[in-house]
Amino acid sequence: MSMRARFLLMAVLIVGVAACASEPIQFYTLIPPDSAMPATGVAGAPYQIEMLPVETPTQIDGPQMVLRRGGGEILLLETRRWIAPVADEVRSAISNRLTRELGTADVYGLPRTRDAAIYRIKVELNRFESYLDRSALIEATWSVRKLDTGAAPLVCKTRTEEPVTAGFPALVEGHQRAVVRIADAIAASLRQMATAQAASCP
């Protein structure tokens, strides 16, 4: 290879590396706009919720998006990220939906400010899978328990797979819809508990 050819090859490599290094990072959130997922509940619930931190598999507990492909292949995307680790994003999104849907407040980490019943909610992600241009899948085990009583918690599992169109924004919207479905399932059971009905899994 001539000196000129080596120089041109080196220049192409440098430009390529610089282009990759300068690719902007895109950030996404699991909390949908209010207009996208309107709440159907009413304000003024006589109870509060305590949304505990979400447990999630180690493989996805980070801000980077993780895509699944055929044959068990996993792709970790450095330039496509959630605004916070997945566990924190899921917790925020479920809390946001529940407080709006139930018309109450999330008092996790706060002192009790009034004499009101508190329902503790715990969520564990079993699966959080992203299939670009295909679907967004979330499977979660969750429980609801009224504090200061001897009642056992209600434990349920919800699995939802949302079809999506092409592109990352559509994939993110699919995950937003899936989280809302899980939150709405929790809300339905919690309403049963709060009205002294026999609570059951949706």
Side-chain angles (χ1 to χ4, degrees):
M1 183 183 292
S2 68
M3 184 66 70
R4 177 179 175 79
R6 287 188 183 132
F7 176 79
L8 290 175
L9 178 60
M10 184 63 70
V12 169
L13 290 174
I14 291 173
V15 170
V17 170
C20 292
S22 62
E23 185 177 352
I25 298 176
Q26 301 292 323
F27 290 97
Y28 303 93
T29 181
L30 286 173
I31 301 177
D34 289 348
S35 59
M37 301 289 178
T40 59
V42 296
Y47 54 81
Q48 298 170 327
I49 64 170
E50 183 186 62
M51 180 74 201
L52 298 181
V54 170
E55 296 183 3
T56 189
T58 305
Q59 298 93 320
I60 61 167
D61 191 19
Q64 296 94 339
M65 275 195 178
V66 179
L67 297 185
R68 287 191 67 95
R69 292 182 171 180
E73 182 182 359
I74 300 293
L75 183 61
L76 184 68
L77 304 180
E78 289 294 341
T79 59
R80 304 279 179 170
R81 301 188 181 190
W82 302 108
I83 197 67
V86 170
D88 295 338
E89 275 287 287
V90 171
R91 186 208 170 279
S92 296
I94 292 179
S95 173
N96 178 74
R97 179 65 177 182
L98 289 176
T99 54
R100 294 179 60 238
E101 185 71 14
L102 299 173
T104 188
D106 182 358
V107 296
Y108 173 73
L110 299 175
R112 298 192 184 186
T113 57
R114 60 189 176 100
D115 187 17
I118 296 179
Y119 290 87
R120 175 171 289 168
I121 300 162
K122 184 174 179 59
V123 174
E124 178 180 350
L125 291 182
N126 308 121
R127 299 171 67 185
F128 186 98
E129 298 177 359
S130 303
Y131 300 88
L132 188 63
D133 307 336
R134 188 183 118 190
S135 66
L137 186 152
I138 302 179
E139 181 180 281
T141 301
W142 50 269
S143 66
V144 180
R145 180 170 72 89
K146 186 177 182 180
L147 297 185
D148 300 330
T149 69
L154 174 70
V155 181
C156 305
K157 177 175 283 190
T158 301
R159 180 186 185 277
T160 177
E161 185 168 11
E162 297 292 319
V164 302
T165 55
F168 285 97
L171 179 62
V172 170
E173 290 173 2
H175 275 302
Q176 291 174 349
R177 293 194 302 271
V179 171
V180 165
R181 290 188 187 278
I182 293 171
D184 287 353
I186 296 171
S189 294
L190 200 155
R191 284 195 186 98
Q192 291 179 336
M193 282 187 168
T195 55
Q197 299 181 43
S200 60
C201 296

